[in-house]
């Protein structure tokens, strides 16, 4: 493994300047979201790491103490580790470090939100499916150039709607432009919201 490229990952070249950082959910891996990424933006390059933490054999991006209760020290450390990996991958694969869009699902959406809060320079935009508040930083970053789209299920047994609202408020307080869509669904994604997210991304000028 190359120095700095210390996550098992997939990289797929694209035909545009944009790169999607795909972040899978608990129990997923680096292959899982590639079809979703292709659907969301067929032209973008794809960087898809596998979370390094194992919970009963299931990969995740950071440790949790219980469902929805995160190990904040581990989350912070893993967020910086992931941001450093993304920077090293941009150099290695020669993609633009200022045109990275995270696409995260569940645990992957949570670490994407944590990247926005702790290492805001890593991402220009993000599509977050089923995200929660990962942590509340001591000092809010300036996210005024970040464009965010959040998809939440109004019957999600893991994430109450109030938790999604709390995340939206936190990101808006950091001055991010946030689009929030509640869909008639639980924790699983729907085809319709994937299409809506992809239309939103197609309109973005980065
Ligand atoms: C998390 O641990 O990040 C959330 O509870 C979502 C999940 O189950 O992965």
């Amino acid at each position: 493994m190359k120095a700095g490229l210390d996550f098992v990952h997939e990289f797929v070249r694209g035909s545009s300047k944009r790169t999607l950082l795909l972040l899978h959910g608990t129990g997923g891996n680096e292959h899982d979201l590639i079809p979703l990424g292709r659907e969301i933006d067929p032209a973008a390059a794809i960087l898809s790491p596998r979370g390094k933490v194992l919970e009963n054999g299931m990969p995740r991006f950071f440790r949790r103490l219980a469902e929805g209760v995160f190990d904040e020290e581990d989350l912070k450390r893993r967020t910086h580790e992931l941001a450093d990996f993304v920077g090293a991958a941009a150099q290695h694969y020669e993609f633009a470090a200022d045109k990275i869009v995270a696409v995260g699902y569940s645990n992957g959406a949570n670490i994407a939100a944590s990247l926005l809060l702790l290492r805001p320079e890593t991402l220009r935009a993000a599509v977050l499916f089923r995200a929660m508040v990962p942590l509340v930083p001591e000092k809010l970053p300036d996210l005024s150039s970040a464009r965010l789209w959040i998809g939440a299920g109004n019957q999600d047994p893991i994430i109450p709607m109030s938790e999604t609202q709390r995340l939206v408020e936190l990101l808006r307080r950091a001055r991010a432009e946030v689009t929030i869509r509640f869909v008639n669904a639980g924790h699983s994604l729907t085809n319709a919201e994937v299409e809506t997210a992809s239309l939103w991304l197609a309109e973005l000028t980065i």
Side-chain angles (χ1 to χ4, degrees):
M1 215 180 284
K2 296 245 176 337
L5 290 184
D6 52 352
F7 275 76
V8 174
H9 65 280
E10 283 281 320
F11 179 73
V12 185
R13 283 196 191 281
S15 55
S16 77
K17 293 250 154 57
R18 196 185 273 168
T19 297
L20 301 183
L21 172 64
L22 301 183
L23 299 165
H24 64 77
T26 302
N29 63 38
E30 67 279 18
H31 306 295
D32 277 9
L33 296 188
I34 291 183
L36 175 76
R38 275 278 156 263
E39 197 176 330
I40 284 194
D41 184 342
I46 284 176
L47 178 66
S48 185
R50 185 197 302 173
K52 287 186 185 181
V53 169
L54 285 179
E55 184 185 273
N56 302 321
M58 296 186 295
R60 289 176 50 85
F61 285 96
F62 57 89
R63 269 170 43 86
R64 64 179 163 183
L65 307 172
E67 189 162 286
V69 184
F70 303 146
D71 176 337
E72 199 164 310
E73 282 318 304
D74 187 66
L75 170 58
K76 286 181 183 158
R77 185 164 77 82
R78 302 283 176 189
T79 301
H80 288 294
E81 190 179 54
L82 182 61
D84 292 343
F85 161 74
V86 172
Q91 280 198 348
H92 179 77
Y93 294 114
E94 301 182 327
F95 61 81
D98 61 349
K99 292 192 186 337
I100 301 174
V101 179
V103 177
Y105 170 66
S106 192
N107 181 246
N110 293 340
I111 196 140
S114 185
L115 278 173
L116 287 161
L117 294 165
L118 299 179
R119 293 288 290 269
E121 73 287 356
T122 314
L123 302 174
R124 278 299 297 283
V127 172
L128 307 178
F129 294 112
R130 309 298 183 271
M132 306 167 72
V133 174
L135 50 78
V136 178
E138 274 168 34
K139 187 173 175 294
L140 278 185
D142 176 7
L143 292 175
S144 51
S145 58
R147 301 287 173 270
L148 311 178
W149 188 96
I150 297 180
N154 63 7
Q155 296 145 45
D156 191 328
I158 299 175
I159 309 170
M161 287 168 77
S162 57
E163 177 65 14
T164 308
Q165 291 293 7
R166 209 161 73 83
L167 176 64
V168 172
E169 276 158 31
L170 179 66
L171 294 168
R172 285 190 178 146
R173 266 199 284 131
R175 302 177 54 217
E177 197 178 292
V178 186
T179 302
I180 164 78
R181 288 281 173 273
F182 280 102
V183 294
N184 212 2
H187 201 63
S188 301
L189 292 187
T190 69
N191 291 334
E193 73 184 301
V194 171
E195 198 182 327
T196 311
S198 126
L199 292 173
W200 174 84
L201 199 53
E203 295 292 310
L204 271 197
T205 52
I206 65 142

